[in-house]
Amino acid sequence: MSALPTALQIVAQQFPEGTTAAEAQDIAAATNAAFAYGLAAIGPAIGIGYLVGQSVQAMARQPEAAGQVQTTMFLGIAFTEALALIGFVVFILLKFV
Amino acid sequence: MNLESGARIDGPAPVMAVAADLAKRSLWLVPAAILIGGIGWGVDGVLSTLYALAIVVANFVLAAWLLAVTGRISTTLMAGAALAGFALRLCLIVAAVVLVRNVAWAELVPMAFTLIIAHLVLLFWEVRHIAGTPAFPGLKPEADLPNPYLPTDTSPDEPSASTSSPTVR
């Protein structure tokens, strides 16, 4: 097991020759920020997919309630999207501040 | 499951009314944004918070417009537009922030926190507003619409067929 390279060593091997420690730290920070934002967007995407699927099914089952379902769906999407926005804020704070 | 693949939503789109209502409510947040941004970060903070507020409102309006337009074509397309629109709007928000990050007036901290706070405040405000009439298809932003669930004088035994209420066909 010890012969296997760690993830850090693999990442370090990707840096070109002459990369300073500060540059490597910047690259690592950018990578972490991108991963944080990407991971933060996965959950809301699953939630929105499920939410919209159930809403379409509800509209098909009860067409007269389509307006109410659509409004509730819109608000649900917006609430779910807030999670992705939180991930984006974390990305901004990690990357640029 | 009684789901037609080509079903579409006819009639008015209440989501656009909700988005317009959210945009109107965002005007009430402008003084708070100016106050907090000005106290914390000066003129740059004010501009940054107002920019973030504009991003939030544009995000709501774009989301509602996508749902309303695609819903008139097909509910299947609406489902696709909801998910693709989520990714598209996130990309637009990232682009809107990243493009101005090096501009002189851009303060990223108030901008980032305004994005979250304004988004959540407007949503909770709107939910509180429309939750008072949950059984009304047009919901509160179009409160002058007739309620199809209430019996009318002409045909009390049958539900009235309202042309202003959205239906799935």
Side-chain angles (χ1 to χ4, degrees):
Chain A
M1 290 294 288
S2 60
L4 291 174
T6 64
L8 192 62
Q9 288 170 330
I10 293 173
V11 171
Q13 288 168 0
Q14 308 306 316
F15 294 147
E17 289 290 331
T19 303
T20 64
E23 288 170 344
Q25 194 172 4
D26 287 344
I27 293 170
T31 308
N32 288 341
F35 268 114
Y37 185 36
L39 290 174
I42 289 175
I46 295 170
I48 287 175
Y50 183 75
L51 190 156
V52 174
Q54 295 294 316
S55 300
V56 170
Q57 188 175 350
M59 282 187 256
R61 286 177 183 273
Q62 203 169 359
E64 67 273 14
Q68 186 184 349
V69 172
Q70 203 180 10
T71 304
T72 310
M73 181 184 75
F74 173 67
L75 292 172
I77 289 173
F79 269 114
T80 312
E81 198 176 283
L83 297 172
L85 278 179
I86 290 172
F88 176 56
V89 167
V90 170
F91 167 77
I92 289 177
L93 297 179
L94 280 176
K95 181 72 177 68
F96 299 124
V97 177
Chain B
M1 187 171 68
N2 183 19
L3 183 62
E4 298 176 27
S5 61
R8 67 179 194 273
I9 301 171
D10 290 330
V15 286
M16 283 307 292
V18 172
D21 206 41
L22 284 165
K24 279 185 278 186
R25 287 176 197 284
S26 69
L27 296 177
W28 289 97
L29 296 184
V30 170
I34 290 174
L35 192 68
I36 296 171
I39 290 174
W41 293 270
V43 177
D44 292 349
V46 172
L47 293 174
S48 299
T49 51
L50 291 179
Y51 183 70
L53 200 56
I55 289 175
V56 169
V57 173
N59 182 38
F60 281 137
V61 172
L62 181 60
W65 181 78
L66 275 175
L67 290 178
V69 168
T70 54
R72 290 185 201 287
I73 300 169
S74 161
T75 50
T76 311
L77 184 62
M78 185 182 71
L83 198 53
F86 165 71
L88 171 72
R89 284 179 288 114
L90 278 186
C91 290
L92 289 178
I93 291 172
V94 171
V97 173
V98 170
L99 282 178
V100 301
R101 76 180 198 276
N102 291 326
V103 177
W105 53 263
E107 290 283 350
L108 288 178
V109 173
M111 193 185 294
F113 282 106
T114 305
L115 276 176
I116 283 294
I117 293 170
H119 190 92
L120 288 176
V121 165
L122 286 173
L123 273 179
F124 277 111
W125 198 351
E126 186 65 22
V127 166
R128 184 179 177 275
H129 175 64
I130 66 172
T133 55
F136 188 55
L139 298 174
K140 209 63 172 275
E142 291 180 317
D144 54 339
L145 288 174
N147 190 334
Y149 295 106
L150 295 177
T152 58
D153 294 335
T154 55
S155 58
D157 295 334
E158 297 178 359
S160 62
S162 173
T163 55
S164 58
S165 175
T167 55
V168 177
R169 290 182 184 173

Short mmCIF file of all heavy atoms in Angstrom, two decimals, chain B residues 34-70:
data_model
loop_
_atom_site.label_atom_id
_atom_site.label_comp_id
_atom_site.label_asym_id
_atom_site.label_seq_id
_atom_site.Cartn_x
_atom_site.Cartn_y
_atom_site.Cartn_z
N ILE B 34 -28.43 49.46 0.13
CA ILE B 34 -27.64 50.70 0.12
C ILE B 34 -27.07 50.97 1.52
O ILE B 34 -25.90 51.32 1.69
CB ILE B 34 -28.51 51.87 -0.36
CG1 ILE B 34 -28.81 51.70 -1.85
CG2 ILE B 34 -27.82 53.20 -0.10
CD1 ILE B 34 -29.77 52.73 -2.39
N LEU B 35 -27.91 50.78 2.52
CA LEU B 35 -27.50 51.05 3.91
C LEU B 35 -26.36 50.13 4.34
O LEU B 35 -25.30 50.58 4.80
CB LEU B 35 -28.71 50.91 4.83
CG LEU B 35 -28.54 51.42 6.25
CD1 LEU B 35 -28.40 52.93 6.25
CD2 LEU B 35 -29.72 51.00 7.11
N ILE B 36 -26.59 48.83 4.17
CA ILE B 36 -25.59 47.86 4.65
C ILE B 36 -24.31 47.95 3.81
O ILE B 36 -23.19 47.97 4.35
CB ILE B 36 -26.18 46.44 4.61
CG1 ILE B 36 -27.34 46.35 5.59
CG2 ILE B 36 -25.11 45.40 4.95
CD1 ILE B 36 -28.13 45.07 5.49
N GLY B 37 -24.47 48.04 2.50
CA GLY B 37 -23.28 48.14 1.64
C GLY B 37 -22.52 49.42 1.87
O GLY B 37 -21.29 49.44 1.88
N GLY B 38 -23.26 50.52 2.10
CA GLY B 38 -22.60 51.81 2.33
C GLY B 38 -21.87 51.86 3.65
O GLY B 38 -20.75 52.39 3.73
N ILE B 39 -22.49 51.32 4.69
CA ILE B 39 -21.85 51.34 6.01
C ILE B 39 -20.60 50.46 6.02
O ILE B 39 -19.55 50.82 6.55
CB ILE B 39 -22.85 50.90 7.10
CG1 ILE B 39 -23.92 51.98 7.28
CG2 ILE B 39 -22.13 50.61 8.41
CD1 ILE B 39 -25.03 51.57 8.22
N GLY B 40 -20.72 49.29 5.41
CA GLY B 40 -19.62 48.33 5.48
C GLY B 40 -18.50 48.59 4.49
O GLY B 40 -17.33 48.44 4.83
N TRP B 41 -18.86 48.98 3.25
CA TRP B 41 -17.84 49.04 2.21
C TRP B 41 -17.87 50.33 1.39
O TRP B 41 -17.22 50.40 0.35
CB TRP B 41 -17.99 47.84 1.27
CG TRP B 41 -17.70 46.52 1.92
CD1 TRP B 41 -16.49 45.91 1.97
CD2 TRP B 41 -18.61 45.66 2.59
NE1 TRP B 41 -16.59 44.71 2.65
CE2 TRP B 41 -17.89 44.54 3.03
CE3 TRP B 41 -19.97 45.73 2.88
CZ2 TRP B 41 -18.48 43.50 3.74
CZ3 TRP B 41 -20.57 44.69 3.58
CH2 TRP B 41 -19.82 43.60 4.01
N GLY B 42 -18.65 51.29 1.80
CA GLY B 42 -18.69 52.57 1.09
C GLY B 42 -19.47 52.50 -0.22
O GLY B 42 -20.34 51.64 -0.40
N VAL B 43 -19.10 53.38 -1.12
CA VAL B 43 -19.81 53.45 -2.41
C VAL B 43 -19.63 52.15 -3.20
O VAL B 43 -20.57 51.67 -3.85
CB VAL B 43 -19.28 54.65 -3.23
CG1 VAL B 43 -19.95 54.70 -4.60
CG2 VAL B 43 -19.53 55.96 -2.49
N ASP B 44 -18.43 51.58 -3.12
CA ASP B 44 -18.20 50.32 -3.82
C ASP B 44 -19.13 49.23 -3.30
O ASP B 44 -19.64 48.39 -4.07
CB ASP B 44 -16.74 49.87 -3.63
CG ASP B 44 -15.78 50.80 -4.35
OD1 ASP B 44 -16.26 51.64 -5.15
OD2 ASP B 44 -14.57 50.69 -4.11
N GLY B 45 -19.35 49.22 -2.00
CA GLY B 45 -20.25 48.23 -1.41
C GLY B 45 -21.68 48.43 -1.88
O GLY B 45 -22.40 47.45 -2.14
N VAL B 46 -22.10 49.70 -1.99
CA VAL B 46 -23.46 49.98 -2.47
C VAL B 46 -23.63 49.46 -3.89
O VAL B 46 -24.62 48.77 -4.21
CB VAL B 46 -23.74 51.50 -2.40
CG1 VAL B 46 -25.06 51.82 -3.09
CG2 VAL B 46 -23.75 51.98 -0.97
N LEU B 47 -22.66 49.78 -4.74
CA LEU B 47 -22.76 49.33 -6.13
C LEU B 47 -22.74 47.80 -6.22
O LEU B 47 -23.48 47.20 -7.01
CB LEU B 47 -21.61 49.92 -6.95
CG LEU B 47 -21.65 51.44 -7.14
CD1 LEU B 47 -20.38 51.93 -7.84
CD2 LEU B 47 -22.87 51.84 -7.94
N SER B 48 -21.91 47.19 -5.39
CA SER B 48 -21.81 45.73 -5.44
C SER B 48 -23.09 45.06 -4.97
O SER B 48 -23.55 44.09 -5.58
CB SER B 48 -20.63 45.26 -4.58
OG SER B 48 -19.43 45.79 -5.06
N THR B 49 -23.68 45.57 -3.90
CA THR B 49 -24.93 44.96 -3.41
C THR B 49 -26.06 45.19 -4.41
O THR B 49 -26.88 44.28 -4.62
CB THR B 49 -25.32 45.55 -2.05
OG1 THR B 49 -25.30 46.97 -2.13
CG2 THR B 49 -24.41 45.09 -0.95
N LEU B 50 -26.12 46.35 -5.02
CA LEU B 50 -27.17 46.60 -6.02
C LEU B 50 -26.97 45.70 -7.24
O LEU B 50 -27.94 45.20 -7.82
CB LEU B 50 -27.17 48.08 -6.43
CG LEU B 50 -27.63 49.05 -5.36
CD1 LEU B 50 -27.58 50.48 -5.88
CD2 LEU B 50 -29.04 48.73 -4.86
N TYR B 51 -25.72 45.49 -7.61
CA TYR B 51 -25.43 44.59 -8.73
C TYR B 51 -25.88 43.17 -8.41
O TYR B 51 -26.52 42.49 -9.23
CB TYR B 51 -23.94 44.64 -9.03
CG TYR B 51 -23.50 43.82 -10.21
CD1 TYR B 51 -23.83 44.21 -11.51
CD2 TYR B 51 -22.74 42.66 -10.05
CE1 TYR B 51 -23.43 43.46 -12.59
CE2 TYR B 51 -22.33 41.91 -11.13
CZ TYR B 51 -22.68 42.32 -12.40
OH TYR B 51 -22.27 41.57 -13.48
N ALA B 52 -25.59 42.73 -7.20
CA ALA B 52 -26.01 41.38 -6.79
C ALA B 52 -27.53 41.28 -6.74
O ALA B 52 -28.11 40.25 -7.12
CB ALA B 52 -25.40 41.04 -5.44
N LEU B 53 -28.18 42.32 -6.28
CA LEU B 53 -29.65 42.31 -6.24
C LEU B 53 -30.23 42.21 -7.65
O LEU B 53 -31.21 41.48 -7.89
CB LEU B 53 -30.13 43.59 -5.55
CG LEU B 53 -31.54 43.61 -4.97
CD1 LEU B 53 -31.76 42.48 -4.00
CD2 LEU B 53 -31.81 44.95 -4.30
N ALA B 54 -29.61 42.92 -8.57
CA ALA B 54 -30.07 42.84 -9.96
C ALA B 54 -29.86 41.43 -10.52
O ALA B 54 -30.70 40.92 -11.27
CB ALA B 54 -29.31 43.85 -10.81
N ILE B 55 -28.76 40.79 -10.14
CA ILE B 55 -28.52 39.41 -10.60
C ILE B 55 -29.61 38.48 -10.07
O ILE B 55 -30.15 37.64 -10.80
CB ILE B 55 -27.13 38.93 -10.12
CG1 ILE B 55 -26.03 39.65 -10.89
CG2 ILE B 55 -26.99 37.43 -10.32
CD1 ILE B 55 -24.64 39.32 -10.39
N VAL B 56 -29.98 38.65 -8.80
CA VAL B 56 -31.00 37.78 -8.20
C VAL B 56 -32.34 37.96 -8.92
O VAL B 56 -33.01 36.98 -9.27
CB VAL B 56 -31.14 38.10 -6.69
CG1 VAL B 56 -32.35 37.41 -6.10
CG2 VAL B 56 -29.90 37.66 -5.95
N VAL B 57 -32.72 39.19 -9.16
CA VAL B 57 -34.01 39.45 -9.83
C VAL B 57 -33.99 38.91 -11.26
O VAL B 57 -34.94 38.27 -11.71
CB VAL B 57 -34.32 40.96 -9.82
CG1 VAL B 57 -35.55 41.25 -10.65
CG2 VAL B 57 -34.53 41.44 -8.40
N ALA B 58 -32.88 39.15 -11.97
CA ALA B 58 -32.78 38.63 -13.34
C ALA B 58 -32.83 37.11 -13.34
O ALA B 58 -33.43 36.50 -14.24
CB ALA B 58 -31.47 39.11 -13.97
N ASN B 59 -32.26 36.48 -12.33
CA ASN B 59 -32.29 35.03 -12.23
C ASN B 59 -33.72 34.53 -12.05
O ASN B 59 -34.15 33.58 -12.73
CB ASN B 59 -31.42 34.61 -11.04
CG ASN B 59 -31.34 33.12 -10.88
OD1 ASN B 59 -31.27 32.40 -11.85
ND2 ASN B 59 -31.34 32.66 -9.65
N PHE B 60 -34.48 35.17 -11.19
CA PHE B 60 -35.89 34.78 -10.99
C PHE B 60 -36.69 34.95 -12.27
O PHE B 60 -37.46 34.07 -12.66
CB PHE B 60 -36.52 35.62 -9.88
CG PHE B 60 -36.16 35.18 -8.50
CD1 PHE B 60 -35.83 36.10 -7.53
CD2 PHE B 60 -36.16 33.84 -8.16
CE1 PHE B 60 -35.49 35.72 -6.24
CE2 PHE B 60 -35.83 33.44 -6.88
CZ PHE B 60 -35.49 34.38 -5.92
N VAL B 61 -36.52 36.09 -12.91
CA VAL B 61 -37.32 36.39 -14.11
C VAL B 61 -36.97 35.42 -15.24
O VAL B 61 -37.86 34.91 -15.93
CB VAL B 61 -37.10 37.85 -14.54
CG1 VAL B 61 -37.76 38.12 -15.89
CG2 VAL B 61 -37.66 38.80 -13.49
N LEU B 62 -35.68 35.14 -15.38
CA LEU B 62 -35.27 34.22 -16.44
C LEU B 62 -35.81 32.82 -16.17
O LEU B 62 -36.29 32.13 -17.10
CB LEU B 62 -33.74 34.19 -16.54
CG LEU B 62 -33.14 33.30 -17.62
CD1 LEU B 62 -33.63 33.73 -19.00
CD2 LEU B 62 -31.63 33.34 -17.58
N ALA B 63 -35.76 32.39 -14.91
CA ALA B 63 -36.28 31.06 -14.57
C ALA B 63 -37.78 30.97 -14.86
O ALA B 63 -38.26 30.00 -15.46
CB ALA B 63 -36.01 30.76 -13.10
N ALA B 64 -38.52 31.99 -14.46
CA ALA B 64 -39.97 31.98 -14.69
C ALA B 64 -40.29 32.04 -16.17
O ALA B 64 -41.19 31.34 -16.65
CB ALA B 64 -40.60 33.16 -13.96
N TRP B 65 -39.54 32.84 -16.90
CA TRP B 65 -39.80 32.96 -18.34
C TRP B 65 -39.54 31.63 -19.04
O TRP B 65 -40.33 31.21 -19.90
CB TRP B 65 -38.91 34.06 -18.92
CG TRP B 65 -39.11 34.28 -20.38
CD1 TRP B 65 -40.13 34.97 -20.98
CD2 TRP B 65 -38.28 33.80 -21.45
NE1 TRP B 65 -39.98 34.94 -22.34
CE2 TRP B 65 -38.85 34.24 -22.66
CE3 TRP B 65 -37.10 33.05 -21.48
CZ2 TRP B 65 -38.29 33.94 -23.90
CZ3 TRP B 65 -36.54 32.76 -22.73
CH2 TRP B 65 -37.14 33.20 -23.91
N LEU B 66 -38.46 30.95 -18.66
CA LEU B 66 -38.16 29.66 -19.27
C LEU B 66 -39.28 28.66 -19.00
O LEU B 66 -39.72 27.95 -19.91
CB LEU B 66 -36.83 29.12 -18.71
CG LEU B 66 -35.55 29.58 -19.39
CD1 LEU B 66 -34.35 29.05 -18.63
CD2 LEU B 66 -35.51 29.09 -20.82
N LEU B 67 -39.76 28.63 -17.75
CA LEU B 67 -40.82 27.67 -17.40
C LEU B 67 -42.12 28.02 -18.13
O LEU B 67 -42.83 27.13 -18.61
CB LEU B 67 -41.05 27.67 -15.88
CG LEU B 67 -39.95 27.06 -15.03
CD1 LEU B 67 -40.31 27.17 -13.57
CD2 LEU B 67 -39.74 25.60 -15.40
N ALA B 68 -42.43 29.32 -18.20
CA ALA B 68 -43.69 29.72 -18.83
C ALA B 68 -43.68 29.42 -20.33
O ALA B 68 -44.64 28.88 -20.87
CB ALA B 68 -43.93 31.21 -18.59
N VAL B 69 -42.58 29.76 -20.98
CA VAL B 69 -42.51 29.57 -22.43
C VAL B 69 -42.49 28.08 -22.79
O VAL B 69 -43.23 27.63 -23.67
CB VAL B 69 -41.27 30.29 -23.00
CG1 VAL B 69 -41.01 29.88 -24.43
CG2 VAL B 69 -41.47 31.79 -22.92
N THR B 70 -41.67 27.33 -22.13
CA THR B 70 -41.57 25.90 -22.47
C THR B 70 -42.82 25.14 -22.02
O THR B 70 -43.18 24.15 -22.65
CB THR B 70 -40.33 25.27 -21.82
OG1 THR B 70 -40.35 25.53 -20.42
CG2 THR B 70 -39.06 25.84 -22.42
#
